[in-house]
Amino acid sequence: MIDQGQENTGESASAATESEADSNGSASAAEAASSDDNFDFDAHRRDAVDQYQGVRQEFEDCSQAVYSVLQTALAEEDGILIHSLEARAKSADSFGRKAALPSVEDPGQPKYPEPLTEITDLAGARVITFLLDTVDQVNEIVEREFDVVEKSTKSGLHEEGERLGYQSVHFLVKFSEARRSLPEYARFKELITEVQVRTILQHAWAEIEHDIQYKAVETIPTSIRRRFTSLAGLVEIADREFQAISTEDKRNRNDARRLIQEGSLDRVEITPDALKAYLDLKLGPDGRMSEWSYGWETRSLKRLGFENLAQVDERIEPYNDDRISRILWRTRQGQLRRFEDVLLAAMGDEYVLSLPWVAKDPEGESARFYRALLEKLEKSGVEVGTYDSLPTGTTEESSS
């Protein structure tokens, strides 16, 4: 390790002429100055790794404690969806490589004379989100749950006046004073953890860039640099577009639910979320149904030529779902089962033939089963509809 006093070796050498003891000090200083010209980075790395090995488990425990706090806080926050949360202590090999980095100002000296205290990402956690908005939400959680020592936004590849590639929010944090007073956190009170927050696209860029291992923009070959520059814009555009799509989807869902409540069904496109909101209002909610089930029903309705919920409502309005369910099954069935039975009654054989498993074999066992249901309805006095006219507002082309 480098003695901090070596920075004053010239001054020590001047004073050494006054005594024999000082003369010995001057010789030591000269030797140190000479060794500076050929600094042993490999020995520096080995020494740093030896020290780190003795305390690495403490940093691992600290990172897992940070993980636990973040995991709980994210789970309790309504509406936050993340891709992943991970935490770890820096590996000994990675620590050794970082400890042996040369100083930018003086390449003959190490960047970290005291690696164990100067390298701040020995304990680390990373939250990867899907969307940019979620990055902001996670940032708020980090700032709320920890004492933030430092916060910065870093770019993957950069030089003065130019930014290339991903951006990532980096925090250096300590446990809050309240937590440090608890026995399970007290031993981590002096430790700093790095917490990174980025989108999944930013993370992909970071991992690829790290794999290529160009450490400075000026060292990148021109052809690869042009590709990095082009890709940087695409990554940022993609992140913004994903966020815009998510925002528009939420707005569409909210608008559809409002229009359904107002009865403006002709303005509501059929989507899984809109269909669920409509059926919850029309037939009563059913918490057993999955999003996949409403997606399947949506695809079925579109195959039949329906374009909006007003067309669906027009078809099933004359039919009593509870009565039809009891005729066919003797009991009141679930929401989607009743909806399908009402569609069967309203559209007759054409609905049967629209079912994919029936279309493969129009005279097979499945087809006979559904036609038997139609006969049961007719015998019970239900007037089974036909598909001789398309839903209002559709055309032959749109239903084909």
Side-chain angles (χ1 to χ4, degrees):
M1 300 293 288
I2 296 178
D3 191 298
Q4 295 296 321
Q6 291 177 6
E7 294 179 0
N8 300 317
T9 52
E11 182 178 331
S12 298
S14 299
T17 58
E18 298 180 5
S19 67
E20 181 178 350
D22 287 341
S23 178
N24 292 334
S26 175
S28 299
E31 290 174 5
S34 175
S35 67
D36 284 350
D37 294 333
N38 297 284
F39 186 83
D40 192 340
F41 283 91
D42 191 52
H44 183 63
R45 176 188 60 79
R46 291 196 303 270
D47 187 36
V49 169
D50 286 344
Q51 292 185 50
Y52 180 55
Q53 293 279 31
V55 296
R56 184 180 182 278
Q57 187 58 52
E58 185 177 3
F59 285 101
E60 179 65 32
D61 293 345
C62 180
S63 67
Q64 293 307 311
V66 170
Y67 176 96
S68 179
V69 171
L70 287 172
Q71 184 182 50
T72 300
L74 288 166
E76 291 177 349
E77 197 76 16
D78 185 42
I80 285 191
L81 178 64
I82 66 168
H83 172 265
S84 61
L85 167 63
E86 55 192 42
R88 55 82 186 119
K90 202 171 193 67
S91 71
D93 287 344
S94 179
F95 175 76
R97 288 193 298 271
K98 194 164 186 176
L101 289 175
S103 169
V104 175
E105 293 78 15
D106 182 2
Q109 295 296 307
K111 182 177 181 179
Y112 302 104
E114 300 291 339
L116 205 58
T117 58
E118 294 172 337
I119 295 176
T120 56
D121 61 346
L122 302 183
R126 179 183 295 140
V127 184
I128 300 175
T129 75
F130 291 104
L131 299 170
L132 288 169
D133 275 2
T134 315
V135 169
D136 294 334
Q137 293 176 293
V138 174
N139 289 346
E140 291 177 3
I141 289 175
V142 173
E143 291 169 348
R144 184 185 71 214
E145 297 293 331
F146 300 93
D147 287 346
V148 176
V149 178
E150 179 181 309
K151 177 183 178 181
S152 60
T153 301
K154 298 184 179 181
S155 300
L157 293 169
H158 60 278
E159 62 181 347
E160 188 174 353
E162 182 176 3
R163 178 173 55 80
L164 302 176
Y166 82 96
Q167 286 186 294
S168 180
V169 181
H170 290 221
F171 292 92
L172 297 181
V173 304
K174 288 185 174 182
F175 286 106
S176 66
E177 185 176 352
R179 281 200 171 92
R180 293 197 300 268
S181 66
L182 301 173
E184 60 266 39
Y185 296 106
R187 65 190 178 109
F188 306 129
K189 65 181 180 179
E190 299 301 327
L191 299 187
I192 292 177
T193 302
E194 181 184 74
V195 179
Q196 299 177 2
V197 188
R198 60 172 67 135
T199 69
I200 192 169
L201 289 181
Q202 293 166 349
H203 181 63
W205 171 285
E207 291 297 293
I208 293 170
E209 180 220 338
H210 182 269
D211 187 56
I212 293 176
Q213 294 182 341
Y214 287 113
K215 299 303 182 184
V217 170
E218 58 269 17
T219 68
I220 302 176
T222 302
S223 62
I224 294 180
R225 179 173 175 168
R226 282 199 298 265
R227 288 177 177 271
F228 266 125
T229 303
S230 299
L231 184 58
L234 293 176
V235 169
E236 292 193 11
I237 289 171
D239 253 337
R240 289 199 300 268
E241 282 301 302
F242 277 128
Q243 183 59 63
I245 289 169
S246 175
T247 300
E248 183 175 349
D249 179 60
K250 290 177 182 177
R251 183 174 62 248
N252 288 343
R253 288 171 183 252
N254 291 333
D255 288 347
R257 291 172 187 148
R258 175 179 54 79
L259 291 169
I260 289 167
Q261 291 294 328
E262 294 174 356
S264 302
L265 300 180
D266 58 322
R267 297 169 57 190
V268 182
E269 182 181 354
I270 301 172
T271 66
D273 188 72
L275 180 62
K276 180 182 185 304
Y278 166 72
L279 293 178
D280 283 352
L281 185 65
K282 183 81 173 180
L283 305 182
D286 188 341
R288 297 171 297 174
M289 296 296 101
S290 66
E291 184 176 346
W292 181 91
S293 300
Y294 290 103
W296 191 94
E297 290 293 343
T298 296
R299 292 192 295 274
S300 297
L301 290 171
K302 290 188 173 183
R303 282 198 302 269
L304 286 164
F306 291 101
E307 296 175 350
N308 60 61
L309 289 178
Q311 298 163 351
V312 176
D313 194 66
E314 178 186 341
R315 282 296 174 132
I316 70 173
E317 178 61 29
Y319 296 89
N320 184 305
D321 63 287
D322 185 72
R323 178 173 177 246
I324 288 175
S325 181
R326 295 181 187 279
I327 289 172
L328 295 178
W329 314 108
R330 296 185 180 180
T331 61
R332 178 183 172 89
Q333 298 293 304
Q335 183 198 81
L336 288 181
R337 176 73 269 171
R338 282 181 286 125
F339 176 59
E340 291 172 351
D341 291 341
V342 169
L343 282 175
L344 175 67
M347 304 180 70
D349 201 55
E350 289 298 327
Y351 176 77
V352 175
L353 293 173
S354 76
L355 300 171
W357 53 91
V358 174
K360 292 179 181 179
D361 186 6
E363 301 302 325
E365 182 178 349
S366 293
R368 292 194 295 271
F369 170 77
Y370 282 101
R371 288 177 181 131
L373 295 180
L374 289 173
E375 290 179 10
K376 186 181 289 188
L377 289 173
E378 289 175 336
K379 288 179 180 179
S380 298
V382 176
E383 184 178 348
V384 174
T386 63
Y387 203 52
D388 54 1
S389 63
L390 296 168
T392 303
T394 57
T395 64
E396 290 286 351
E397 289 77 11
S398 65
S399 64
S400 61

mmCIF file of all heavy atoms in Angstrom, residues 73-113:
data_model
loop_
_atom_site.group_PDB
_atom_site.id
_atom_site.type_symbol
_atom_site.label_atom_id
_atom_site.label_comp_id
_atom_site.label_asym_id
_atom_site.label_seq_id
_atom_site.Cartn_x
_atom_site.Cartn_y
_atom_site.Cartn_z
ATOM 1 N N ALA A 73 -40.197 -2.724 0.508
ATOM 2 C CA ALA A 73 -40.721 -1.413 0.123
ATOM 3 C C ALA A 73 -41.382 -1.457 -1.251
ATOM 4 O O ALA A 73 -42.441 -0.854 -1.465
ATOM 5 C CB ALA A 73 -39.602 -0.377 0.138
ATOM 6 N N LEU A 74 -40.782 -2.177 -2.198
ATOM 7 C CA LEU A 74 -41.356 -2.287 -3.539
ATOM 8 C C LEU A 74 -42.665 -3.057 -3.510
ATOM 9 O O LEU A 74 -43.615 -2.710 -4.224
ATOM 10 C CB LEU A 74 -40.359 -2.979 -4.477
ATOM 11 C CG LEU A 74 -39.132 -2.159 -4.869
ATOM 12 C CD1 LEU A 74 -38.070 -3.055 -5.509
ATOM 13 C CD2 LEU A 74 -39.519 -1.035 -5.827
ATOM 14 N N ALA A 75 -42.727 -4.100 -2.691
ATOM 15 C CA ALA A 75 -43.949 -4.907 -2.606
ATOM 16 C C ALA A 75 -45.106 -4.113 -2.000
ATOM 17 O O ALA A 75 -46.264 -4.318 -2.360
ATOM 18 C CB ALA A 75 -43.686 -6.166 -1.784
ATOM 19 N N GLU A 76 -44.773 -3.209 -1.106
ATOM 20 C CA GLU A 76 -45.820 -2.430 -0.435
ATOM 21 C C GLU A 76 -46.288 -1.239 -1.257
ATOM 22 O O GLU A 76 -47.329 -0.642 -0.962
ATOM 23 C CB GLU A 76 -45.306 -1.950 0.926
ATOM 24 C CG GLU A 76 -45.110 -3.074 1.936
ATOM 25 C CD GLU A 76 -44.528 -2.588 3.243
ATOM 26 O OE1 GLU A 76 -44.080 -1.412 3.281
ATOM 27 O OE2 GLU A 76 -44.509 -3.363 4.215
ATOM 28 N N GLU A 77 -45.528 -0.872 -2.292
ATOM 29 C CA GLU A 77 -45.869 0.287 -3.117
ATOM 30 C C GLU A 77 -46.851 -0.136 -4.198
ATOM 31 O O GLU A 77 -46.564 -1.014 -5.019
ATOM 32 C CB GLU A 77 -44.597 0.875 -3.746
ATOM 33 C CG GLU A 77 -44.765 2.269 -4.268
ATOM 34 C CD GLU A 77 -44.794 3.305 -3.161
ATOM 35 O OE1 GLU A 77 -44.381 2.981 -2.023
ATOM 36 O OE2 GLU A 77 -45.212 4.445 -3.428
ATOM 37 N N ASP A 78 -48.014 0.476 -4.212
ATOM 38 C CA ASP A 78 -49.058 0.097 -5.157
ATOM 39 C C ASP A 78 -48.679 0.497 -6.578
ATOM 40 O O ASP A 78 -48.255 1.622 -6.834
ATOM 41 C CB ASP A 78 -50.377 0.778 -4.775
ATOM 42 C CG ASP A 78 -51.534 0.320 -5.648
ATOM 43 O OD1 ASP A 78 -51.615 -0.881 -5.927
ATOM 44 O OD2 ASP A 78 -52.340 1.181 -6.060
ATOM 45 N N GLY A 79 -48.827 -0.442 -7.508
ATOM 46 C CA GLY A 79 -48.671 -0.121 -8.925
ATOM 47 C C GLY A 79 -47.270 -0.188 -9.471
ATOM 48 O O GLY A 79 -47.044 0.126 -10.641
ATOM 49 N N ILE A 80 -46.283 -0.593 -8.666
ATOM 50 C CA ILE A 80 -44.907 -0.677 -9.170
ATOM 51 C C ILE A 80 -44.643 -2.080 -9.705
ATOM 52 O O ILE A 80 -44.818 -3.070 -9.005
ATOM 53 C CB ILE A 80 -43.885 -0.321 -8.081
ATOM 54 C CG1 ILE A 80 -43.864 1.185 -7.847
ATOM 55 C CG2 ILE A 80 -42.493 -0.782 -8.486
ATOM 56 C CD1 ILE A 80 -42.720 1.661 -6.994
ATOM 57 N N LEU A 81 -44.237 -2.130 -10.977
ATOM 58 C CA LEU A 81 -43.875 -3.405 -11.603
ATOM 59 C C LEU A 81 -42.430 -3.307 -12.060
ATOM 60 O O LEU A 81 -42.079 -2.441 -12.858
ATOM 61 C CB LEU A 81 -44.793 -3.678 -12.803
ATOM 62 C CG LEU A 81 -44.512 -4.969 -13.589
ATOM 63 C CD1 LEU A 81 -44.746 -6.179 -12.697
ATOM 64 C CD2 LEU A 81 -45.384 -5.034 -14.835
ATOM 65 N N ILE A 82 -41.582 -4.186 -11.543
ATOM 66 C CA ILE A 82 -40.171 -4.167 -11.925
ATOM 67 C C ILE A 82 -39.804 -5.472 -12.619
ATOM 68 O O ILE A 82 -40.508 -6.484 -12.498
ATOM 69 C CB ILE A 82 -39.251 -3.937 -10.710
ATOM 70 C CG1 ILE A 82 -39.322 -5.131 -9.749
ATOM 71 C CG2 ILE A 82 -39.586 -2.640 -10.010
ATOM 72 C CD1 ILE A 82 -38.239 -5.123 -8.695
ATOM 73 N N HIS A 83 -38.699 -5.436 -13.334
ATOM 74 C CA HIS A 83 -38.201 -6.643 -13.988
ATOM 75 C C HIS A 83 -37.431 -7.510 -13.003
ATOM 76 O O HIS A 83 -37.631 -8.718 -12.925
ATOM 77 C CB HIS A 83 -37.294 -6.270 -15.162
ATOM 78 C CG HIS A 83 -36.594 -7.445 -15.782
ATOM 79 N ND1 HIS A 83 -35.308 -7.822 -15.429
ATOM 80 C CD2 HIS A 83 -37.006 -8.334 -16.721
ATOM 81 C CE1 HIS A 83 -34.969 -8.892 -16.124
ATOM 82 N NE2 HIS A 83 -35.964 -9.223 -16.912
ATOM 83 N N SER A 84 -36.552 -6.895 -12.211
ATOM 84 C CA SER A 84 -35.753 -7.688 -11.279
ATOM 85 C C SER A 84 -35.136 -6.806 -10.206
ATOM 86 O O SER A 84 -34.977 -5.594 -10.374
ATOM 87 C CB SER A 84 -34.642 -8.449 -12.012
ATOM 88 O OG SER A 84 -33.753 -7.553 -12.647
ATOM 89 N N LEU A 85 -34.795 -7.448 -9.106
ATOM 90 C CA LEU A 85 -34.064 -6.835 -7.997
ATOM 91 C C LEU A 85 -32.960 -7.800 -7.624
ATOM 92 O O LEU A 85 -33.217 -8.999 -7.415
ATOM 93 C CB LEU A 85 -34.995 -6.586 -6.807
ATOM 94 C CG LEU A 85 -34.342 -6.239 -5.469
ATOM 95 C CD1 LEU A 85 -33.580 -4.923 -5.559
ATOM 96 C CD2 LEU A 85 -35.389 -6.186 -4.355
ATOM 97 N N GLU A 86 -31.738 -7.316 -7.575
ATOM 98 C CA GLU A 86 -30.614 -8.181 -7.226
ATOM 99 C C GLU A 86 -29.646 -7.428 -6.325
ATOM 100 O O GLU A 86 -29.633 -6.192 -6.307
ATOM 101 C CB GLU A 86 -29.892 -8.664 -8.490
ATOM 102 C CG GLU A 86 -29.433 -7.537 -9.394
ATOM 103 C CD GLU A 86 -28.983 -8.028 -10.757
ATOM 104 O OE1 GLU A 86 -29.647 -8.903 -11.329
ATOM 105 O OE2 GLU A 86 -27.951 -7.502 -11.247
ATOM 106 N N ALA A 87 -28.869 -8.177 -5.578
ATOM 107 C CA ALA A 87 -27.888 -7.567 -4.681
ATOM 108 C C ALA A 87 -26.722 -8.526 -4.514
ATOM 109 O O ALA A 87 -26.888 -9.754 -4.590
ATOM 110 C CB ALA A 87 -28.520 -7.246 -3.327
ATOM 111 N N ARG A 88 -25.551 -7.967 -4.276
ATOM 112 C CA ARG A 88 -24.360 -8.799 -4.110
ATOM 113 C C ARG A 88 -23.220 -7.969 -3.545
ATOM 114 O O ARG A 88 -23.221 -6.739 -3.635
ATOM 115 C CB ARG A 88 -23.944 -9.409 -5.445
ATOM 116 C CG ARG A 88 -23.711 -8.385 -6.576
ATOM 117 C CD ARG A 88 -22.368 -7.769 -6.529
ATOM 118 N NE ARG A 88 -22.088 -6.700 -7.470
ATOM 119 C CZ ARG A 88 -21.784 -5.486 -7.096
ATOM 120 N NH1 ARG A 88 -21.834 -5.153 -5.822
ATOM 121 N NH2 ARG A 88 -21.421 -4.569 -7.965
ATOM 122 N N ALA A 89 -22.244 -8.666 -2.981
ATOM 123 C CA ALA A 89 -20.975 -8.026 -2.655
ATOM 124 C C ALA A 89 -20.053 -8.184 -3.858
ATOM 125 O O ALA A 89 -20.139 -9.161 -4.596
ATOM 126 C CB ALA A 89 -20.353 -8.660 -1.426
ATOM 127 N N LYS A 90 -19.193 -7.240 -4.080
ATOM 128 C CA LYS A 90 -18.271 -7.296 -5.205
ATOM 129 C C LYS A 90 -17.385 -8.527 -5.078
ATOM 130 O O LYS A 90 -16.910 -8.870 -3.987
ATOM 131 C CB LYS A 90 -17.411 -6.028 -5.217
ATOM 132 C CG LYS A 90 -16.805 -5.680 -6.562
ATOM 133 C CD LYS A 90 -16.163 -4.302 -6.497
ATOM 134 C CE LYS A 90 -15.839 -3.780 -7.890
ATOM 135 N NZ LYS A 90 -17.054 -3.511 -8.684
ATOM 136 N N SER A 91 -17.166 -9.213 -6.174
ATOM 137 C CA SER A 91 -16.300 -10.388 -6.139
ATOM 138 C C SER A 91 -14.865 -9.953 -5.894
ATOM 139 O O SER A 91 -14.468 -8.821 -6.193
ATOM 140 C CB SER A 91 -16.399 -11.164 -7.454
ATOM 141 O OG SER A 91 -15.777 -10.438 -8.499
ATOM 142 N N ALA A 92 -14.061 -10.880 -5.376
ATOM 143 C CA ALA A 92 -12.660 -10.564 -5.091
ATOM 144 C C ALA A 92 -11.899 -10.228 -6.378
ATOM 145 O O ALA A 92 -11.081 -9.304 -6.409
ATOM 146 C CB ALA A 92 -12.008 -11.739 -4.369
ATOM 147 N N ASP A 93 -12.191 -10.959 -7.458
ATOM 148 C CA ASP A 93 -11.507 -10.692 -8.730
ATOM 149 C C ASP A 93 -11.857 -9.302 -9.256
ATOM 150 O O ASP A 93 -10.984 -8.563 -9.714
ATOM 151 C CB ASP A 93 -11.887 -11.746 -9.768
ATOM 152 C CG ASP A 93 -11.236 -13.091 -9.502
ATOM 153 O OD1 ASP A 93 -10.269 -13.131 -8.711
ATOM 154 O OD2 ASP A 93 -11.685 -14.095 -10.084
ATOM 155 N N SER A 94 -13.155 -8.965 -9.209
ATOM 156 C CA SER A 94 -13.581 -7.656 -9.690
ATOM 157 C C SER A 94 -12.975 -6.550 -8.830
ATOM 158 O O SER A 94 -12.539 -5.511 -9.347
ATOM 159 C CB SER A 94 -15.106 -7.567 -9.662
ATOM 160 O OG SER A 94 -15.551 -6.299 -10.092
ATOM 161 N N PHE A 95 -12.943 -6.760 -7.529
ATOM 162 C CA PHE A 95 -12.332 -5.779 -6.634
ATOM 163 C C PHE A 95 -10.854 -5.595 -6.957
ATOM 164 O O PHE A 95 -10.339 -4.476 -7.009
ATOM 165 C CB PHE A 95 -12.511 -6.218 -5.181
ATOM 166 C CG PHE A 95 -11.820 -5.326 -4.192
ATOM 167 C CD1 PHE A 95 -12.349 -4.080 -3.866
ATOM 168 C CD2 PHE A 95 -10.640 -5.721 -3.588
ATOM 169 C CE1 PHE A 95 -11.709 -3.251 -2.956
ATOM 170 C CE2 PHE A 95 -9.996 -4.908 -2.675
ATOM 171 C CZ PHE A 95 -10.528 -3.669 -2.363
ATOM 172 N N GLY A 96 -10.169 -6.712 -7.202
ATOM 173 C CA GLY A 96 -8.750 -6.634 -7.514
ATOM 174 C C GLY A 96 -8.490 -5.869 -8.803
ATOM 175 O O GLY A 96 -7.555 -5.057 -8.875
ATOM 176 N N ARG A 97 -9.311 -6.110 -9.825
ATOM 177 C CA ARG A 97 -9.132 -5.389 -11.088
ATOM 178 C C ARG A 97 -9.352 -3.891 -10.897
ATOM 179 O O ARG A 97 -8.619 -3.071 -11.457
ATOM 180 C CB ARG A 97 -10.093 -5.928 -12.140
ATOM 181 C CG ARG A 97 -9.728 -7.306 -12.663
ATOM 182 C CD ARG A 97 -10.516 -7.640 -13.920
ATOM 183 N NE ARG A 97 -11.943 -7.689 -13.678
ATOM 184 C CZ ARG A 97 -12.603 -8.781 -13.292
ATOM 185 N NH1 ARG A 97 -11.926 -9.911 -13.095
ATOM 186 N NH2 ARG A 97 -13.900 -8.756 -13.093
ATOM 187 N N LYS A 98 -10.358 -3.547 -10.098
ATOM 188 C CA LYS A 98 -10.639 -2.125 -9.871
ATOM 189 C C LYS A 98 -9.535 -1.488 -9.030
ATOM 190 O O LYS A 98 -9.145 -0.330 -9.272
ATOM 191 C CB LYS A 98 -11.998 -1.962 -9.192
ATOM 192 C CG LYS A 98 -12.533 -0.543 -9.221
ATOM 193 C CD LYS A 98 -14.021 -0.508 -8.903
ATOM 194 C CE LYS A 98 -14.583 0.895 -9.076
ATOM 195 N NZ LYS A 98 -16.049 0.939 -8.863
ATOM 196 N N ALA A 99 -9.043 -2.219 -8.062
ATOM 197 C CA ALA A 99 -7.979 -1.687 -7.199
ATOM 198 C C ALA A 99 -6.723 -1.388 -8.004
ATOM 199 O O ALA A 99 -5.943 -0.496 -7.650
ATOM 200 C CB ALA A 99 -7.681 -2.672 -6.076
ATOM 201 N N ALA A 100 -6.509 -2.124 -9.082
ATOM 202 C CA ALA A 100 -5.283 -1.975 -9.871
ATOM 203 C C ALA A 100 -5.423 -0.967 -11.003
ATOM 204 O O ALA A 100 -4.487 -0.822 -11.797
ATOM 205 C CB ALA A 100 -4.878 -3.333 -10.442
ATOM 206 N N LEU A 101 -6.537 -0.259 -11.071
ATOM 207 C CA LEU A 101 -6.699 0.744 -12.125
ATOM 208 C C LEU A 101 -5.715 1.886 -11.915
ATOM 209 O O LEU A 101 -5.519 2.353 -10.789
ATOM 210 C CB LEU A 101 -8.128 1.297 -12.126
ATOM 211 C CG LEU A 101 -9.238 0.371 -12.617
ATOM 212 C CD1 LEU A 101 -10.600 1.041 -12.438
ATOM 213 C CD2 LEU A 101 -9.022 0.004 -14.088
ATOM 214 N N PRO A 102 -5.094 2.388 -12.980
ATOM 215 C CA PRO A 102 -4.192 3.537 -12.842
ATOM 216 C C PRO A 102 -4.977 4.840 -12.710
ATOM 217 O O PRO A 102 -6.112 4.950 -13.168
ATOM 218 C CB PRO A 102 -3.398 3.510 -14.150
ATOM 219 C CG PRO A 102 -4.317 2.867 -15.137
ATOM 220 C CD PRO A 102 -5.117 1.853 -14.347
ATOM 221 N N SER A 103 -4.363 5.812 -12.104
ATOM 222 C CA SER A 103 -4.972 7.133 -11.978
ATOM 223 C C SER A 103 -5.046 7.805 -13.344
ATOM 224 O O SER A 103 -4.122 7.699 -14.156
ATOM 225 C CB SER A 103 -4.144 8.002 -11.019
ATOM 226 O OG SER A 103 -4.560 9.344 -11.085
ATOM 227 N N VAL A 104 -6.139 8.506 -13.594
ATOM 228 C CA VAL A 104 -6.285 9.231 -14.851
ATOM 229 C C VAL A 104 -5.286 10.376 -14.913
ATOM 230 O O VAL A 104 -4.666 10.647 -15.955
ATOM 231 C CB VAL A 104 -7.728 9.774 -14.993
ATOM 232 C CG1 VAL A 104 -7.857 10.641 -16.247
ATOM 233 C CG2 VAL A 104 -8.721 8.621 -15.035
ATOM 234 N N GLU A 105 -5.097 11.068 -13.793
ATOM 235 C CA GLU A 105 -4.187 12.205 -13.743
ATOM 236 C C GLU A 105 -2.726 11.767 -13.813
ATOM 237 O O GLU A 105 -1.885 12.454 -14.405
ATOM 238 C CB GLU A 105 -4.409 13.028 -12.465
ATOM 239 C CG GLU A 105 -5.744 13.749 -12.393
ATOM 240 C CD GLU A 105 -6.886 12.810 -12.004
ATOM 241 O OE1 GLU A 105 -6.602 11.688 -11.513
ATOM 242 O OE2 GLU A 105 -8.051 13.200 -12.206
ATOM 243 N N ASP A 106 -2.426 10.626 -13.189
ATOM 244 C CA ASP A 106 -1.045 10.150 -13.154
ATOM 245 C C ASP A 106 -1.059 8.635 -13.350
ATOM 246 O O ASP A 106 -1.175 7.871 -12.388
ATOM 247 C CB ASP A 106 -0.403 10.510 -11.820
ATOM 248 C CG ASP A 106 1.066 10.080 -11.750
ATOM 249 O OD1 ASP A 106 1.567 9.545 -12.762
ATOM 250 O OD2 ASP A 106 1.701 10.295 -10.699
ATOM 251 N N PRO A 107 -0.966 8.179 -14.596
ATOM 252 C CA PRO A 107 -1.062 6.738 -14.884
ATOM 253 C C PRO A 107 -0.015 5.895 -14.178
ATOM 254 O O PRO A 107 -0.157 4.674 -14.124
ATOM 255 C CB PRO A 107 -0.884 6.682 -16.409
ATOM 256 C CG PRO A 107 -1.287 8.033 -16.899
ATOM 257 C CD PRO A 107 -0.842 8.978 -15.827
ATOM 258 N N GLY A 108 1.022 6.515 -13.646
ATOM 259 C CA GLY A 108 2.031 5.761 -12.908
ATOM 260 C C GLY A 108 1.635 5.457 -11.483
ATOM 261 O O GLY A 108 2.356 4.767 -10.771
ATOM 262 N N GLN A 109 0.498 5.989 -11.052
ATOM 263 C CA GLN A 109 -0.008 5.779 -9.697
ATOM 264 C C GLN A 109 -1.396 5.128 -9.753
ATOM 265 O O GLN A 109 -2.112 5.243 -10.745
ATOM 266 C CB GLN A 109 -0.094 7.115 -8.962
ATOM 267 C CG GLN A 109 1.245 7.787 -8.720
ATOM 268 C CD GLN A 109 2.122 6.946 -7.809
ATOM 269 O OE1 GLN A 109 1.706 6.557 -6.716
ATOM 270 N NE2 GLN A 109 3.338 6.648 -8.260
ATOM 271 N N PRO A 110 -1.773 4.446 -8.697
ATOM 272 C CA PRO A 110 -3.088 3.799 -8.696
ATOM 273 C C PRO A 110 -4.213 4.822 -8.521
ATOM 274 O O PRO A 110 -4.038 5.844 -7.855
ATOM 275 C CB PRO A 110 -3.017 2.857 -7.495
ATOM 276 C CG PRO A 110 -2.065 3.521 -6.565
ATOM 277 C CD PRO A 110 -1.029 4.179 -7.447
ATOM 278 N N LYS A 111 -5.332 4.523 -9.112
ATOM 279 C CA LYS A 111 -6.511 5.376 -8.948
ATOM 280 C C LYS A 111 -7.008 5.324 -7.511
ATOM 281 O O LYS A 111 -7.527 6.313 -6.976
ATOM 282 C CB LYS A 111 -7.613 4.925 -9.905
ATOM 283 C CG LYS A 111 -8.879 5.779 -9.865
ATOM 284 C CD LYS A 111 -9.885 5.294 -10.905
ATOM 285 C CE LYS A 111 -11.147 6.158 -10.891
ATOM 286 N NZ LYS A 111 -12.127 5.707 -11.923
ATOM 287 N N TYR A 112 -6.837 4.154 -6.874
ATOM 288 C CA TYR A 112 -7.309 3.971 -5.502
ATOM 289 C C TYR A 112 -6.134 3.558 -4.618
ATOM 290 O O TYR A 112 -5.863 2.354 -4.441
ATOM 291 C CB TYR A 112 -8.400 2.902 -5.442
ATOM 292 C CG TYR A 112 -9.597 3.190 -6.313
ATOM 293 C CD1 TYR A 112 -9.775 2.510 -7.526
ATOM 294 C CD2 TYR A 112 -10.540 4.136 -5.942
ATOM 295 C CE1 TYR A 112 -10.867 2.764 -8.331
ATOM 296 C CE2 TYR A 112 -11.653 4.409 -6.741
ATOM 297 C CZ TYR A 112 -11.807 3.708 -7.944
ATOM 298 O OH TYR A 112 -12.897 3.968 -8.747
ATOM 299 N N PRO A 113 -5.433 4.523 -4.028
ATOM 300 C CA PRO A 113 -4.336 4.165 -3.118
ATOM 301 C C PRO A 113 -4.802 3.327 -1.939
ATOM 302 O O PRO A 113 -4.066 2.478 -1.442
ATOM 303 C CB PRO A 113 -3.801 5.528 -2.666
ATOM 304 C CG PRO A 113 -4.204 6.484 -3.754
ATOM 305 C CD PRO A 113 -5.528 5.975 -4.245
#
